[in-house]
């Protein structure tokens, strides 16, 4: 019963994060990694994330910045390939701690962005920054489903407004999550049980998505960023000490 409640809460958070601020989904990453073996949890949560993506792209179907997308996409595939290779050679303990360390690194980067936003905003407009963000997002999402933090750093540095931020992220992650399916399948991580679980959790994802859509315009960007930082830090520490 406890596991069902945790899965339900994780699904709700995924829906909320997909239509609000994606960094909050790290809470769900930790929940899945705590219930299931860490390696298989990456594929299990992937299916729920795709359900959340569908709600998000419908909610923000007119708010995607295609120019931002074009700058990020070319470097995503190499990042996914690197992440798949990493998954193939590490055990659950190393993967779990790597996820925790990665999340802490993203928190540190976000703090730097917040402290030096104007200067980093200029740097973020370069092609190298787009390639680094795309590569980092590909690797982080393949190994930890934690690319929301990478995208947050990049888009906050570019000073993208909240609605365009969420709309662009929604379409970007829908695309790369679909690309992750063959990688997860080839590694033997994805099972039909993961698909059925995601479908069963879809109503809770939808409730979270509805709430996220109705709250993002009422809460300041600063409040969202603080919540994401706190959730990311706590989740990372939980993975490191588990």
């Amino acid at each position: 019963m406890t596991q069902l409640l945790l899965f339900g809460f994780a699904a709700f958070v995924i829906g909320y994060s997909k239509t609000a601020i994606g960094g909050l989904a790290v809470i769900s990453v930790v929940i899945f990694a705590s219930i299931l073996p860490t390696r298989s949890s990456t594929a299990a949560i992937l299916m729920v994330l795709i359900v959340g993506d569908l709600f998000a792209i419908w909610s923000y179907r007119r708010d995607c910045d295609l120019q931002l997308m074009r700058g990020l996409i070319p470097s995503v595939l190499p990042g996914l390939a690197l992440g798949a290779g990493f998954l193939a050679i590490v055990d659950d303990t190393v993967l779990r701690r790597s996820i925790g360390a990665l999340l802490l690194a993203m928190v540190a980067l976000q703090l730097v962005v917040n402290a030096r936003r104007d200067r980093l905003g200029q740097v973020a407009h370069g092609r190298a920054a787009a390639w680094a963000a795309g590569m980092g997002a590909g690797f982080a999402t393949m190994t930890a489903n934690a690319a929301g933090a990478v995208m947050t750093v990049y888009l906050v540095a570019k000073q993208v407004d909240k609605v365009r931020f969420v709309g662009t992220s929604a379409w970007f992650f829908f695309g790369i999550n679909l690309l992750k399916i063959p990688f997860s399948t080839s590694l033997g991580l994805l099972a039909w049980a993961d698909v059925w679980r995601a479908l069963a959790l879809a109503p809770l994802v939808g409730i979270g998505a509805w709430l996220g859509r109705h709250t993002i315009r009422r809460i300041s960007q600063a409040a969202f960023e603080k919540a994401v930082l706190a959730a990311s830090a706590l989740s990372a520490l939980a993975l490191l000490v588990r």
Side-chain angles (χ1 to χ4, degrees):
M1 185 64 180
T2 301
Q3 287 190 359
L4 290 176
L5 290 174
L6 286 172
F7 276 134
F9 178 69
F12 172 83
V13 171
I14 285 172
Y16 184 84
S17 71
K18 287 292 184 179
T19 55
I21 293 295
L24 293 176
V26 297
I27 297 171
S28 302
V29 172
V30 172
I31 290 173
F32 270 71
S34 299
I35 297 173
L36 303 171
T38 307
R39 284 168 56 83
S40 58
S41 74
T42 61
I45 198 171
L46 171 61
M47 293 295 98
V48 186
L49 289 169
I50 290 174
V51 173
D53 290 330
L54 292 172
F55 283 106
I57 62 174
W58 174 255
S59 298
Y60 296 99
R61 56 193 178 276
R62 298 184 182 91
D63 300 303
C64 177
D65 189 322
L66 293 177
Q67 185 174 353
L68 280 174
M69 289 270 288
R70 282 195 293 268
L72 292 166
I73 289 172
S75 57
V76 169
L77 277 175
L80 288 173
L82 285 173
F86 187 73
L87 280 174
I89 62 174
V90 300
D91 60 20
D92 271 6
T93 300
V94 173
L95 179 60
R96 185 174 64 247
R97 291 176 179 171
S98 297
I99 293 171
L102 179 63
L103 293 178
L104 280 180
M106 292 304 101
V107 171
L109 282 174
Q110 284 176 278
L111 289 172
V112 171
V113 168
N114 289 343
R116 305 172 64 186
R117 183 168 307 199
D118 292 338
R119 183 175 176 182
L120 288 173
Q122 296 173 0
V123 175
H125 287 284
R127 183 175 297 179
W131 270 83
M135 180 81 76
F139 182 85
T141 195
M142 190 69 230
T143 57
N145 290 300
V150 180
M151 284 292 287
T152 295
V153 170
Y154 180 67
L155 295 180
V156 168
K158 288 182 73 68
Q159 300 180 353
V160 177
D161 66 87
K162 287 188 299 182
V163 175
R164 190 161 57 103
F165 179 117
V166 179
T168 302
S169 296
W171 284 93
F172 178 74
F173 285 119
F174 178 59
I176 64 175
N177 282 337
L178 291 180
L179 288 174
K180 284 162 60 180
I181 292 176
F183 285 100
S184 295
T185 302
S186 66
L187 291 169
L189 301 177
L190 188 61
W192 278 108
D194 300 321
V195 177
W196 298 124
R197 183 190 297 109
L199 291 175
L201 293 172
L204 290 170
V205 177
I207 293 171
W210 177 86
L211 183 62
R213 183 181 177 185
H214 284 77
T215 57
I216 190 172
R217 292 178 174 85
R218 295 177 173 85
I219 299 178
S220 70
Q221 185 68 36
F224 268 107
E225 290 174 3
K226 289 177 182 177
V228 170
L229 285 173
S232 298
L234 290 174
S235 299
L237 290 173
L239 283 172
L240 287 171
V241 302
R242 176 174 171 240

